[in-house]
Amino acid sequence: MYRIAPSILSANFARLGEEITQVLDSGADIIHFDVMDNHYVPNLTIGPLVCEAIRPLTQAMIDVHLMVEPVDRIIPDFAKAGANIISFHPEASRHIDRTIGLIKEQGCKAGLVFNPATPLSYLDHVLDKLDLILIMSVNPGFGGQTFIPEALNKLRLTRERITASGRDILLEIDGGVKVDNIAEIARAGADTFVAGSAIYGAGKESDPHRYDSIIAAMRAELAKVA
């Protein structure tokens, strides 16, 4: 099963609730929630209050990607605000195992995020505790960047690790995902696809739910994957 996870970083924040409802009505599966602190990454976005505000709008999973340092302090706030999945970068935690435990204690699923230059060796120690692995195919901080091809190899290696573990772990990709490359990314092993500008920048007033055409096009490409 493939899951499409629009990143609200690229949504129109003047009508964020409507944007979230429309993209889910168009067939998206997960809401991806990018949190940046102007410290770990050179940008500043949104926090727990926004998550809390959108939680009543949908039963869909809210996938919170924390690009903040230090990370532990903010995790309980997002859990309380309604996050289902909370993922973080190993570089942002002094004790990765402890941070994963904190997320689980708050009742959320835990994810670990790998930047383009972050080694997969972190998985040697915590794979058995993870529910999601997120491979960044751009350097984090800004939407609309170009997909880094080396991420495909990283996906393949990660998929091998997941398969060998026998565990049910989501393998998510984030950065530069679009209709033209989503099938190739799926063949490399991804099953969950974060797309921001590729979805929110392609909305059509002629679509019943505004984003039907673009999400249908992504689904059609994924259907071609053997």
Side-chain angles (χ1 to χ4, degrees):
M1 176 181 174
Y2 294 121
R3 301 164 187 85
I4 294 177
S7 169
I8 62 172
L9 181 64
S10 298
N12 181 346
F13 274 66
R15 51 188 185 93
L16 183 57
E18 182 182 346
E19 289 274 67
I20 289 170
T21 300
Q22 287 176 332
V23 82
L24 289 168
D25 287 346
S26 295
D29 304 289
I30 297 171
I31 293 301
H32 191 77
F33 196 102
D34 287 306
V35 183
M36 306 182 190
D37 65 353
N38 194 35
H39 180 69
Y40 180 73
V41 292
N43 198 0
L44 184 65
T45 57
I46 47 181
L49 289 177
V50 177
C51 185
E52 183 179 14
I54 68 174
R55 179 71 279 178
L57 300 178
T58 179
Q59 295 298 310
M61 277 194 171
I62 297 179
D63 170 23
V64 173
H65 173 196
L66 296 178
M67 289 165 272
V68 303
E69 183 183 8
V71 71
D72 288 8
R73 163 60 188 85
I74 202 75
I75 286 170
D77 295 343
F78 272 101
K80 184 179 178 181
N84 300 105
I85 306 171
I86 299 177
S87 56
F88 67 99
H89 294 252
E91 300 93 339
S93 170
R94 291 202 175 196
H95 305 284
I96 296 167
D97 184 75
R98 182 177 293 167
T99 300
I100 293 170
L102 175 61
I103 294 170
K104 301 272 195 172
E105 288 165 11
Q106 299 297 314
C108 296
K109 295 183 181 297
L112 198 61
V113 189
F114 292 83
N115 289 332
T118 302
L120 292 176
S121 55
Y122 286 105
L123 293 175
D124 295 343
H125 312 284
V126 296
L127 184 62
D128 62 324
K129 299 178 176 68
L130 295 174
D131 303 290
L132 176 144
I133 298 169
L134 171 53
I135 302 298
M136 294 298 297
S137 41
V138 298
N139 288 294
F142 299 94
Q145 298 184 65
T146 301
F147 185 88
I148 297 174
E150 173 57 25
L152 295 173
N153 187 51
K154 207 165 194 176
L155 281 171
R156 294 184 191 100
L157 293 171
T158 307
R159 174 54 64 190
E160 289 174 4
R161 286 174 178 254
I162 292 172
T163 300
S165 76
R167 299 189 69 248
D168 184 16
I169 301 172
L170 297 181
L171 180 50
E172 189 171 56
I173 187 79
D174 184 358
V177 176
K178 53 188 178 180
V179 172
D180 294 347
N181 64 9
I182 195 168
E184 182 182 19
I185 294 168
R187 290 187 187 97
D191 55 38
T192 306
F193 307 85
V194 177
S197 56
I199 292 178
Y200 282 111
K204 295 181 179 178
E205 297 299 338
S206 58
D207 279 348
H209 306 107
R210 185 166 171 79
Y211 299 106
D212 302 62
S213 294
I214 182 63
I215 291 179
M218 289 181 168
R219 296 278 185 208
E221 288 299 307
L222 290 171
K224 299 175 183 178
V225 179

